[in-house]
């Protein structure tokens, strides 16, 4: 044993103890939220959530997916960290996505095919209820805002009125291409929502944190929030916006490559001999120009511009899926900053987003008008009865159950790394670790969403597009303990899905 080994182990043990303390506090918060929620429900306070803080009802049960979910969890816990270390990057991403899809379907099938998937998006409060009546999309866009407020003969149903028209249009388009009905809608939500398992690791890889990207894959595949990805539209929203952020990171990587190796000095040093760079032989500098151009394309510039624009299109479309997804812009800004591309990829992404805004605006829907009307509609319903004093902290208990104990411990480590003792604050923020920056942005977004008062209950579903960006924090957990943390993630999802019946 070397002299430095024992102190290092002691320090590691102390950090792990702090992780467990953070998880214990989080579990206490969950227990308190359930206890106070049960008391308030029994006292006649209108929480409108029988299993508060979760929007669900107590119903211990098992189903066709129970055994499959347990087997998937066992396989990921036992082999996931090892495979994440040695599989090729593309195979790892494909495996992560496949496991995420299987895990989400298995959890949903604990409730059964009809109750867990096919009927989830077919109830009268959901988008599919309005699809048959939308025969003219331009007319629907022009008149959308006039039908947001409640107590009108033609008021939109709950979820349609509570979101911009993009959310409803997704299911209208599915119907138009022959994928109609609740079953197809649920399958699409799962397939798109599971893209999170690819988008988050790809973002970290593109920000030059390949080891963190690999560490994140098993946790993204076994994400407890999959309980609500299968099947809710918010899972679909999470997949779309996460893909947009990932494309922004990939674009930033492309621009960095073009600037580092594709710029004049970098490319010359990479493709030309020293004498050639100095203009001696082979036609001087003019002879190397074709090689410079070719090298620039190969190092990423060719894909950086379209990736930037497509990122903006997806993120711009995101704010027409849910008004709250405008907050994902803060996460995108953090990624652009971490990728050192606020002057390249970010402006192009903004351009792509503005193109989406232009399409909807010219179509007759003004986002800000819709937002103000939705706030009014929100307080026309049960939001006026749900007490803010309970939900402002009980929402965080929902977050714990959606994120899982590993993300709690990882988030604690992220906060300590950013604001704890060590390097000066200025030094930490001048060149921050991309993992810490992304997690910090997610924490800020979640805090803003919670304090807004527009997220009273159902946040285990509504906050999915934000919660997934806590996943990078797991890369800060010590390697030997990751299987235990994965087991905790799986146990959380299985317990929630087996003890309560979620409404969506």
């Amino acid at each position: 044993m070397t002299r430095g080994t024992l102190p290092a182990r002691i320090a590691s043990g102390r950090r792990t103890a702090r992780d467990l303390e953070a998880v214990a506090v989080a579990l206490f918060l969950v227990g308190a939220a359930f206890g106070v929620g049960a008391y308030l429900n029994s006292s006649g306070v209108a929480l409108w959530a029988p299993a508060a803080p979760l929007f669900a009802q107590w119903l211990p049960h098992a189903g066709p997916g129970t055994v499959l979910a347990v087997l998937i969890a066992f396989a990921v816990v036992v082999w996931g960290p090892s495979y994440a270390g040695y599989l090729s990057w593309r195979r790892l991403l494909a495996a992560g996505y496949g496991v995420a899809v299987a895990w989400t379907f298995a959890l949903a099938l604990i409730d059964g095919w009809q109750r867990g998937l096919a009927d989830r998006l077919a109830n009268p409060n959901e988008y599919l209820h309005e699809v048959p009546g939308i025969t003219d999309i331009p007319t629907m866009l022009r008149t959308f805002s006039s039908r947001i407020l409640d107590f009108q003969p033609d008021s939109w149903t709950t979820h349609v009125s509570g979101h911009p028209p993009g959310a409803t249009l997704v299911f209208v388009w599915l119907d138009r291409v022959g994928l109609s009905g609740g079953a197809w809608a649920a399958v699409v939500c799962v397939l798109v929502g599971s893209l999170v398992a690819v988008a988050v690791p790809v973002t970290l890889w593109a920000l030059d944190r390949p080891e963190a990207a690999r560490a994140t894959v098993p946790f993204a595949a076994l994400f407890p929030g999959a309980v609500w990805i299968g099947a809710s539209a918010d899972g679909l929203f999470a997949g779309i916006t996460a893909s947009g952020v990932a494309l922004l990171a990939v674009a930033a990587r492309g621009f960095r490559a073009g600037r580092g190796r594709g710029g004049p000095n970098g490319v010359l040093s990479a493709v030309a001999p020293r004498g050639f760079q100095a203009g001696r032989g082979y036609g001087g500098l003019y002879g190397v120009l074709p090689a410079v151009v070719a090298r620039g394309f190969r190092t990423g510039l060719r894909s950086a511009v379209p990736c930037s624009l497509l990122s903006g299109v997806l993120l711009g479309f995101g704010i027409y899926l849910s008004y709250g997804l405008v907050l994902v812009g803060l996460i995108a800004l953090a990624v652009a900053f971490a990728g050192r591309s606020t002057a390249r990829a970010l402006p192009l992404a903004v351009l792509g987003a503005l193109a989406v805004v232009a399409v909807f605006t010219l179509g007759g829907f003004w986002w800000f008008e819709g937002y103000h009307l939705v706030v009014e509609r929100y307080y026309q319903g049960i939001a006026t009865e749900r007490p803010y004093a309970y939900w402002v902290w009980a929402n965080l208990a929902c977050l714990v159950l959606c994120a899982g104990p590993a993300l709690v411990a990882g988030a604690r480590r992220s906060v300590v790394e950013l604001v704890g003792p060590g390097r000066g604050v200025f030094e930490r923020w001048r060149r921050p670790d991309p993992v810490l920056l992304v997690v910090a942005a997610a924490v800020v977004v979640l805090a803003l969403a919670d304090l807004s008062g527009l997220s009273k209950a159902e946040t285990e579903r509504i906050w999915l597009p934000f919660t997934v960006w806590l996943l990078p924090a797991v890369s800060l957990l010590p390697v030997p303990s990751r299987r235990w943390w994965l087991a905790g993630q799986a146990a959380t999802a299985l317990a929630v899905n087996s003890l309560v019946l979620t409404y969506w």
Side-chain angles (χ1 to χ4, degrees):
M1 180 182 295
T2 63
R3 182 172 297 181
T5 301
L6 183 58
R9 287 184 176 180
I10 293 174
S12 177
R14 287 175 178 169
R15 287 193 292 270
T16 299
R18 297 290 184 270
D19 293 339
L20 296 176
E21 289 170 3
V23 171
V25 170
L27 291 177
F28 177 81
L29 176 68
V30 171
F34 276 114
V36 173
Y39 171 77
L40 293 176
N41 275 324
S42 65
S43 302
V45 177
L47 296 182
W48 295 96
L54 294 178
F55 190 59
Q57 59 178 311
W58 290 104
L59 184 65
H61 63 287
T66 300
V67 173
L68 178 60
V70 171
L71 291 175
I72 292 171
F74 177 81
V76 175
V77 170
V78 173
W79 295 296
S82 300
Y83 276 80
Y86 70 77
L87 277 182
S88 69
W89 179 234
R90 291 184 180 181
R91 288 183 179 179
L92 179 60
L93 290 179
Y97 177 72
V99 171
V101 170
W103 173 243
T104 306
F105 273 122
L107 291 173
L109 289 173
I110 292 176
D111 299 337
W113 171 257
Q114 287 298 132
R115 189 169 62 177
L117 286 166
D119 292 343
R120 279 295 169 93
L121 295 167
N123 77 61
N125 294 311
E126 285 282 2
Y127 306 95
L128 296 182
H129 179 75
E130 299 285 4
V131 168
I134 300 174
T135 57
D136 186 337
I137 291 177
T139 300
M140 175 261 204
L141 285 175
R142 286 195 304 271
T143 61
F144 190 87
S145 295
S146 66
R147 299 175 62 181
I148 290 176
L149 294 181
D150 207 354
F151 310 119
Q152 303 178 87
D154 61 347
S155 295
W156 295 117
T157 192
T158 303
H159 275 190
V160 175
S161 65
H163 295 78
T168 305
L169 285 176
V170 169
F171 298 100
V172 171
W173 291 330
L174 287 177
D175 181 73
R176 297 292 191 271
V177 298
L179 303 179
S180 58
W184 277 116
V187 168
V188 170
C189 285
V190 170
L191 294 178
V192 176
S194 296
L195 288 173
V196 164
V198 175
V200 175
V202 164
T203 299
L204 298 178
W205 166 81
L207 295 177
D208 297 329
R209 285 298 310 273
E211 73 291 343
R214 287 182 171 274
T216 301
V217 172
F219 290 90
L222 216 59
F223 179 48
V227 171
W228 295 277
I229 290 177
S232 74
D234 294 271
L236 180 141
F237 302 164
I240 291 175
T241 53
S243 298
V245 173
L247 282 169
L248 181 62
V250 170
R253 180 184 176 90
F255 280 120
R256 289 199 310 278
R259 184 170 61 247
R261 294 189 301 271
N265 295 331
V267 171
L268 286 173
S269 62
V271 303
R274 290 184 182 273
F276 189 55
Q277 296 169 32
R280 295 190 297 269
Y282 305 102
L285 179 61
Y286 294 102
V288 81
L289 286 179
V292 171
V293 174
R295 182 68 177 181
F297 276 113
R298 286 197 298 271
T299 52
L301 284 176
R302 181 170 52 186
S303 62
V305 172
C307 281
S308 300
L309 293 171
L310 183 56
S311 165
V313 169
L314 290 178
L315 293 173
F317 187 59
I319 70 170
Y320 289 91
L321 295 172
S322 176
Y323 295 100
L325 293 182
V326 70
L327 292 175
V328 174
L330 293 177
I331 296 171
L333 183 61
V335 167
F337 181 76
R340 303 189 298 279
S341 199
T342 53
R344 292 191 174 194
L346 186 61
L348 289 171
V350 170
L351 186 63
L354 289 176
V356 177
V357 172
V359 169
F360 276 93
T361 303
L362 292 174
F365 176 78
W366 179 234
W367 190 91
F368 289 99
E369 179 189 15
Y371 171 76
H372 289 297
L373 288 170
V374 161
V375 172
E376 188 175 345
R377 167 73 183 248
Y378 185 67
Y379 289 104
Q380 284 182 314
I382 60 178
T384 56
E385 301 179 43
R386 281 174 165 165
Y388 180 81
Y390 171 74
W391 289 110
V392 72
W393 61 272
N395 283 341
L396 301 179
C398 297
L399 174 63
V400 169
L401 293 173
C402 180
L407 271 63
V408 172
R412 185 206 71 82
R413 289 185 176 236
S414 299
V415 171
V416 170
E417 288 288 333
L418 279 173
V419 301
R423 292 181 301 157
V425 174
F426 175 77
E427 176 63 21
R428 293 176 187 178
W429 286 98
R430 188 175 66 87
R431 291 295 296 273
D433 182 340
V435 168
L436 303 181
L437 194 58
V438 170
V439 172
V443 169
V444 170
V445 165
L446 287 162
L448 291 174
D450 189 33
L451 296 173
S452 71
L454 297 175
S455 296
K456 290 190 288 186
E458 307 177 46
T459 51
E460 63 273 16
R461 166 184 62 83
I462 297 170
W463 288 355
L464 277 172
F466 313 142
T467 306
V468 299
W469 292 106
L470 296 176
L471 280 166
V474 300
S475 65
L476 303 177
L477 300 173
V479 174
S481 67
R482 286 177 185 169
R483 284 188 173 86
W484 291 106
W485 289 115
L486 276 169
Q489 297 293 91
T492 300
L494 289 167
V496 169
N497 218 137
S498 300
L499 294 176
V500 301
L501 180 65
T502 58
Y503 290 133
W504 41 53

